[in-house]
Amino acid sequence: GAVVSQHPSWVICKSGTSVKIECRSLDFQATTMFWYRQFPKQSLMLMATSNEGSKATYEQGVEKDKFLINHASLTLSTLTVTSAHPEDSSFYICSARVPTGRSDSYEQYFGPGTRLTVT
Amino acid sequence: RKEVEQDPGPFNVPEGATVAFNCTYSNSASQSFFWYRQDCRKEPKLLMSVYSSGNEDGRFTAQLNRASQYISLLIRDSKLSDSATYLCVVHTFSGGYNKLIFGAGTRLAVHP
């Protein structure tokens, strides 16, 4: 299947600092990428849809000024957690859509995730 | 009501057992359906798409009932390596955007 990478795989930062997470599609171009967050023992929650060359679309309740998304190329989207606080500690996962070849049908492949701990 | 509901489990089964997971979704306009597998502290991995005609991949069989808004996954001859959380995922086009909605997952533990 398609390969999506994320960097870093884990990060520990101090409260008040900003952290940037990169998501790359390695063997395909992705016009649309997605950012999810998963707290322990909970499901993935979609945070935002990242569109190449345009503004990201944020889900209700997700602060766009706190979670900055940039999708500057067809293979890279970045999520910056600004002024991180302990409650932002979570598992952040990106994904990219890949057409299946069936009409209007896509599959999503996920990056390995980034575990953020804010102290 | 959650958009995608699953029995959280855990399902504890012996090797070789057959186990079935169920999932219901609330949005009748949902377009595509998937089962993902997630191992502890790892990202979800696509297990299989679910088509209206049903589909089978080795020991795994997925069924979709659009009228009942119900999806199932059957695992035959369970292996120890099948132990994971199985996520029911629904693709919906809502408010002008494509979204994947995840169920909370069903945990499976296969023991010797």
Side-chain angles (χ1 to χ4, degrees), chain B residues 94-107:
Chain B
S94 172
Y97 301 103
N98 287 288
K99 299 181 183 181
L100 280 189
I101 309 296
F102 284 77
T106 300
R107 281 206 298 128

Side-chain angles (χ1 to χ4, degrees), chain A residues 97-113:
Chain A
R97 291 201 317 173
V98 179
T100 64
R102 293 164 69 115
S103 176
D104 292 329
S105 176
Y106 297 85
E107 290 178 345
Q108 278 193 217
Y109 290 89
F110 289 80

Side-chain angles (χ1 to χ4, degrees), chain A residues 34 36 38 42-44 46 49 57 59 91 93 97 102 104-113 115, chain B residues 31-32 34 36 38 40-46 49 51 87 91 97-105:
Chain A
F34 302 88
Y36 295 83
Q38 186 176 32
Q42 294 187 27
S43 189
L44 277 74
L46 179 64
T49 302
T57 305
E59 294 302 297
F91 191 43
I93 309 174
R97 291 201 317 173
R102 293 164 69 115
D104 292 329
S105 176
Y106 297 85
E107 290 178 345
Q108 278 193 217
Y109 290 89
F110 289 80
R115 196 160 299 280
Chain B
Q31 302 167 310
S32 308
F34 309 91
Y36 278 74
Q38 186 175 27
C40 189
R41 301 173 77 87
K42 298 282 189 181
E43 77 278 19
K45 291 190 187 298
L46 179 64
S49 302
Y51 303 119
L87 304 171
H91 172 228
Y97 301 103
N98 287 288
K99 299 181 183 181
L100 280 189
I101 309 296
F102 284 77

Side-chain angles (χ1 to χ4, degrees), chain B residues 1 3 25-31 33 69 90 92-94:
Chain B
R1 184 186 170 191
E3 290 192 69
Y25 60 96
S26 61
N27 187 342
S28 59
S30 298
Q31 302 167 310
F33 309 89
Q69 295 179 203
V90 174
T92 301
F93 188 76
S94 172

